Amino acid sequence: MNDLVFSGVQPTNQLHLGNYIGALKQWVPIQHDHRCLFCIVDLHAITVPQEPRELRQNILDVAAAYLASGIDPKRSTIFVQSEVPEHAELGWIMGTLTKMGELERMTQFKDKSAKGGMGRAGAGLFTYPALMAADILLYDTSAVPVGEDQMQHLELARVLARRFNERFGETFQIPQALIQKHGARIMSLQDPSKKMSKSDPSDTSKILLSDTADIIRKKIMRAVTDTAGGVTYDADKKPAVANLMTIYHQVTGLTMKQIETEFDGKGYGDFKKALAEAVVAHLEPITKRMQEFRSDPHELLRILDNGRERAQLLAAEKMKLVRSRVGLGR
Ligand code: AMP
Ligand code: TRP
């Protein structure tokens, strides 16, 4: 039984607190008892149009965010998806096993294609879950730590692994999702019914890992709260406050009960002030380390070279087996 962990983030726009809490922060402790691969999934990023120069910057920014968050390149492999071509190759094979109906049900595709209509959406955006399945299966991954929005994609990866194994013989391990109880879905600071999202045009809806302390304070002080007062956790009746409490829980390590006790009898103003300071204190060293990695990219590039070599070895070996199982080549 393999105990490998794989996850990835798309190098699109700037990373926000939802990405950090839902993904990066969760990865850090896992690397102490698992072999981990953390990928910067640039092939996924181009399923919607990207400015080439910006994409290249974003790839390095995400790598810097991984390292600054505490991913240790001595323990974990950090690499760029497109630098290991086997991802695209297995993605194609997975696409041949995927049914149109399965892809049509994907809520992320429905959301992302809603504006222009399905007929105008790129075919790559449609088949993206097959590529994501390939990313995971290529390394015989056992667990995939992600935010809740990726559950549906992960379920498809499991289906495709079983389908391949049934058709061509035991080849892939069936991966499992690792989803946190509190923090798998951080919501917009302006609308607690929507997830915090890179593509949200409202700046105040999200806290970016690159935000200064003052901007973070302003955004938190402007966050919406609920009409019912009191800092108590109730996701149904007080979704905005529950979201802020989730963030506070994540950056301080306090339980919901402890947070309720701390703010018993206090108003939202006091809570938001404490929350802002806690988020600033948590993110400040991360933001600083990100800037250091970005201002001297040598170290970053060396780590990514190293990561590519390690991932490449594993991927090449697996693809040999896959090609032979499918009957490709001579
Ligand atoms: P993406 O930016 O779509 O590449 O997402 C990268 C990772 O962040 C994935 O594991 C997502 O599930 C996670 N993620 C994105 N948005 C949120 C959010 N609002 N709350 C929690 N996790 C999130
Ligand atoms: N689809 C994921 C997202 O949008 C990113 C991703 C691509 C991923 N391949 C992956 C996540 C493999 C985990 C494992 O967030």
Side-chain angles (χ1 to χ4, degrees):
M1 182 74 169
N2 210 334
D3 75 341
L4 195 135
V5 169
F6 184 101
S7 196
V9 171
Q10 298 191 47
T12 49
N13 302 320
Q14 303 228 28
L15 297 196
H16 54 66
L17 194 61
N19 298 127
Y20 174 69
I21 292 177
L24 274 55
K25 180 168 178 279
Q26 204 199 159
W27 301 351
V28 175
I30 300 176
Q31 51 177 353
H32 296 295
D33 41 22
H34 291 83
R35 280 212 301 158
C36 295
L37 279 95
F38 298 118
C39 187
I40 298 144
V41 288
D42 54 348
L43 293 173
H44 279 90
I46 61 167
T47 56
V48 295
Q50 301 294 333
E51 177 58 44
R53 278 170 56 111
E54 264 173 43
L55 177 60
R56 194 152 291 136
Q57 293 297 321
N58 285 336
I59 290 170
L60 296 183
D61 284 347
V62 172
Y66 285 7
L67 293 163
S69 301
I71 302 302
D72 177 358
K74 290 199 194 78
R75 287 180 184 277
S76 302
T77 300
I78 301 177
F79 73 106
V80 180
Q81 183 188 30
S82 65
E83 294 183 357
V84 180
E86 282 83 353
H87 285 256
E89 185 182 359
L90 186 59
W92 176 261
I93 295 173
M94 287 298 147
T96 65
L97 294 176
T98 310
K99 301 183 200 315
M100 298 277 284
E102 288 169 331
L103 296 174
E104 277 165 6
R105 283 197 291 277
M106 294 291 157
T107 56
Q108 190 178 60
F109 174 73
K110 287 193 220 166
D111 291 346
K112 286 200 177 177
S113 62
K115 238 203 236 143
M118 208 160 134
R120 284 174 181 270
L125 187 66
F126 188 63
T127 59
Y128 152 130
L131 179 61
M132 177 161 162
D135 298 338
I136 297 167
L137 302 181
L138 188 53
Y139 300 98
D140 281 324
T141 300
S142 61
V144 187
V146 279
E148 207 176 76
D149 59 343
Q150 297 303 314
M151 257 326 260
Q152 206 184 13
H153 293 154
L154 209 92
E155 196 43 52
L156 180 71
R158 291 161 58 86
V159 167
L160 291 177
R162 287 200 201 94
R163 192 170 292 156
F164 188 103
N165 289 349
E166 268 162 33
R167 202 151 145 205
F168 300 110
E170 264 326 288
T171 307
F172 293 119
Q173 166 137 341
I174 315 295
Q176 273 189 337
L178 274 185
I179 308 257
Q180 308 179 93
K181 176 157 175 248
H182 290 296
R185 193 170 169 80
I186 299 294
M187 309 311 277
S188 154
L189 298 180
Q190 291 302 317
D191 178 355
S193 69
K194 289 200 302 199
K195 68 168 187 179
M196 189 178 283
S197 160
K198 286 176 182 164
S199 55
D200 193 323
S202 154
D203 276 346
T204 47
S205 72
K206 55 192 170 217
I207 289 171
L208 303 178
L209 294 190
S210 57
D211 279 345
T212 62
D214 278 347
I215 292 182
I216 294 175
R217 289 191 187 101
K218 278 199 192 107
K219 287 180 177 175
I220 291 183
M221 293 318 286
R222 278 188 207 150
V224 299
T225 46
D226 303 292
T227 41
V231 182
T232 51
Y233 188 85
D234 186 333
D236 294 328
K237 293 206 186 94
K238 292 200 268 183
V241 172
N243 186 45
L244 298 180
M245 287 178 77
T246 300
I247 296 173
Y248 196 64
H249 154 71
Q250 282 282 348
V251 296
T252 60
L254 295 171
T255 64
M256 293 302 174
K257 271 267 157 298
Q258 288 170 323
I259 299 172
E260 288 176 355
T261 310
E262 182 180 349
F263 296 99
D264 187 23
K266 296 197 180 134
Y268 289 149
D270 286 336
F271 172 52
K272 282 197 201 171
K273 268 190 213 134
L275 173 63
E277 292 319 311
V279 172
V280 166
H282 190 95
L283 290 188
E284 221 162 30
I286 296 176
T287 309
K288 193 163 154 263
R289 277 201 297 273
M290 267 175 80
Q291 281 161 356
E292 286 165 5
F293 277 115
R294 290 300 277 124
S295 61
D296 177 15
H298 278 90
E299 175 71 355
L300 201 62
L301 297 176
R302 190 190 59 77
I303 290 169
L304 290 176
D305 280 344
N306 215 301
R308 178 193 54 220
E309 278 168 28
R310 286 198 251 171
Q312 179 71 73
L313 282 175
L314 299 172
E317 193 177 314
K318 191 74 190 179
M319 275 315 291
K320 257 197 225 152
L321 174 68
V322 172
R323 286 184 210 109
S324 100
R325 287 273 151 87
V326 178
L328 294 169
R330 287 172 293 160

